[in-house]
Amino acid sequence: MMISKNMEAALNEQISLEGYASFLYLSMAVWCDNKGLSGCYQFLIRQSDEERLHMMKIFEYLADVDGLALTPGIQEPPRQFKSVQEIFKTVYAHEQKVTKCINNLIELASKENDYSTQTFLQWYVNEQREEEALMRNVLDRINLIGDGPQSLYFIDKELESINIQAATAEAEAE
Ligand code: OFO
């Protein structure tokens, strides 16, 4: 099976978006580490690794369908952030954007009667649903903790435990 040039280009854009997410979360992780927020750091490092995996899956898929995956030039992510609350709001917004892009890719694949790519993208539909739910959970927790004097400490503890749960759930799914 050979993929259309249109679909190939759209998947290459997705490669670039996943790659950017990986670098963005890495940059956020480093910021957190620098502030002593080791739970947030661990959480964001895992998210960053996942995004790289999402990118690599498209590389492999394009190779399977005789397409050409292009190693993206990644735009430099921000290095300074206002607060940990702002970081997680940004992550959630980014995940929502990725979900929209996945939906657009499916629409294109369906217009082209490209059943293989539609099937391939189903994995991303599920992944995005999980990621959005995870990030909403994080934001709910952050809101519950509020911004009292010890809030950063508690947010960090919370992220540490959410990270352990997420990593365990993933390991079980494999
Ligand atoms: Fe790959 O964008 Fe998040 O999950």
Side-chain angles (χ1 to χ4, degrees), residues 40 84-85 142 145-146 151-159:
C40 295
V84 79
Q85 288 87 344
I142 289 179
I145 292 168
S151 58
L152 279 185
Y153 174 81
F154 289 115
I155 288 173
D156 198 50
K157 284 276 157 232
E158 196 58 45
L159 263 294

Side-chain angles (χ1 to χ4, degrees), residues 6-64:
N6 244 349
M7 200 68 242
E8 180 190 80
L11 286 171
N12 270 308
E13 268 175 43
Q14 192 64 28
I15 282 184
S16 171
L17 193 65
E18 303 284 354
Y20 179 73
S22 180
F23 272 29
L24 176 64
Y25 300 168
L26 185 60
S27 182
M28 290 168 162
V30 169
W31 185 91
C32 289
D33 185 44
N34 212 254
K35 301 270 184 278
L37 300 164
S38 58
C40 295
Y41 168 80
Q42 298 289 350
F43 178 93
L44 287 162
I45 286 287
R46 198 181 47 75
Q47 291 298 124
S48 170
D49 286 349
E50 276 207 13
E51 297 305 344
R52 183 170 189 284
L53 213 123
H54 298 171
M55 178 180 83
M56 292 312 297
K57 262 180 127 55
I58 308 176
F59 265 80
E60 285 158 21
Y61 177 72
L62 279 171
D64 282 350

Side-chain angles (χ1 to χ4, degrees), residues 18 21 25 47 50-51 54 94-95 98 124 127-128 131:
E18 303 284 354
Y25 300 168
Q47 291 298 124
E50 276 207 13
E51 297 305 344
H54 298 171
H94 195 77
E95 290 302 325
V98 171
Y124 287 82
E127 182 70 14
Q128 283 311 118
E131 290 289 288

Side-chain angles (χ1 to χ4, degrees), residues 6-15 18 58 98-112 114 117-118 120-121 124:
N6 244 349
M7 200 68 242
E8 180 190 80
L11 286 171
N12 270 308
E13 268 175 43
Q14 192 64 28
I15 282 184
E18 303 284 354
I58 308 176
V98 171
T99 302
K100 274 202 193 106
C101 293
I102 296 291
N103 291 343
N104 290 341
L105 286 172
I106 293 177
E107 210 179 300
L108 178 64
S110 125
K111 264 191 210 135
E112 294 198 353
D114 179 346
T117 303
Q118 283 180 63
F120 166 69
L121 289 168
Y124 287 82

